[in-house]
Amino acid sequence: MNTQNPKKDTKPKITERRRFLTIMAQSVGLSALGGIVWTGYVEEAKASPLLLRPPGALKESDFLRTCIKCGQCAEACPYDTLLMAKPGDGLPMGTPYFIARDIPCYMCTDIPCVPVCPTGALDEDSVSSVVEGKKVLDINKAKMGIAVVDHESCVAYWGIQCDACYRACPILGDAITIEFLRNERTGKHAKLVPVVHADYCTGCGLCEHACVTEKAAIFVLPRDVALGKAGDYYVKGWDVKDQERIKQRNLEELETKTERSEKKPQDYLNMDEELFNE
């Protein structure tokens, strides 16, 4: 029979008051931390209007809702072009992007980053064509962005011969062409300048990567930023989609109605004879 006394518990007892204060301190700390993280995320999400996404990416708002930040597209890229945004990058965390000046998209014909996407955030149909009744991947249909030339810093616009961006373009002669301009400074020579064509440019960034100036004189911007928006009142007469779009709108929204518009033109044009006598 064990007659020894059991060991006394030497741990200090936690009173209800101390437990309450500890829980309160932890709650305040977690709330502050959550607020900091959330504020940082919101600021990062707002600070990314010039972000370049992988081929086939949905519209940015839809992309952010669809992408699960799994990183499979970045793993599939053979050139390490795609990066995954980290805290502090100033970008929506965990989403794929690329910096054309550092490592552009090398326009892989099999587009390995797109088919591995499990949610459709990278839409395979948008970078596919139908050939002989079969759907095949077509990287030339990618719309990652549009290259923009800064005429002030492009040495070709100074009159110095340079076609680095033109030679680097994978859609040679279509996305970028070289055109002649009169050199107003000398009055004798021609400038051979690069011109970007939005219908063909994929936004791969190979031109930006190849640019010889210290800060690239040609750079890729998201299409919405580069092209802007003319507004619903302007219609491309040759664009079937534009014509259909304007037909679907309520014409009353586009009409300006005044008291004069209710009259016939001959009525209000001839209503003031004194005006013509003056």
Side-chain angles (χ1 to χ4, degrees), residues 56-152:
L58 300 175
K59 182 181 176 182
E60 184 66 10
S61 57
D62 296 330
F63 179 82
L64 292 176
R65 286 195 298 266
T66 309
C67 175
I68 59 173
K69 306 169 181 61
C70 63
Q72 292 189 54
C73 55
E75 290 182 8
C77 179
Y79 296 99
D80 295 327
T81 297
L82 296 179
L83 305 171
M84 301 300 292
K86 305 182 298 297
D89 285 344
L91 307 171
M93 289 187 292
T95 59
Y97 71 103
F98 70 98
I99 303 174
R101 186 62 164 166
D102 295 340
I103 309 179
C105 172
Y106 282 93
M107 301 274 285
C108 304
T109 54
D110 58 345
I111 326 180
C113 58
V114 175
V116 297
C117 180
T119 63
L122 302 181
D123 182 19
E124 191 170 333
D125 289 338
S126 68
V127 286
S128 297
S129 296
V130 176
V131 179
E132 296 180 354
K134 294 182 180 180
K135 186 177 77 171
V136 295
L137 291 170
D138 185 358
I139 187 60
N140 289 345
K141 294 189 68 176
K143 300 297 181 184
M144 295 170 276
I146 294 179
V148 177
V149 181
D150 181 0
H151 295 185
E152 295 296 327

Side-chain angles (χ1 to χ4, degrees), residues 29-40:
L30 289 173
S31 298
L33 178 61
I36 293 172
V37 172
W38 176 250
T39 301

Side-chain angles (χ1 to χ4, degrees), residues 152-194:
E152 295 296 327
S153 58
C154 176
V155 296
Y157 280 86
W158 298 0
I160 299 174
Q161 185 173 353
C162 177
D163 60 0
C165 58
Y166 170 75
R167 294 297 175 186
C169 181
I171 313 178
L172 191 67
D174 288 325
I176 299 180
T177 57
I178 297 294
E179 298 187 7
F180 293 86
L181 287 182
R182 178 180 173 81
N183 192 330
E184 299 295 340
R185 182 176 59 83
T186 65
K188 298 179 180 179
H189 309 93
K191 300 176 183 179
L192 304 178
V193 299

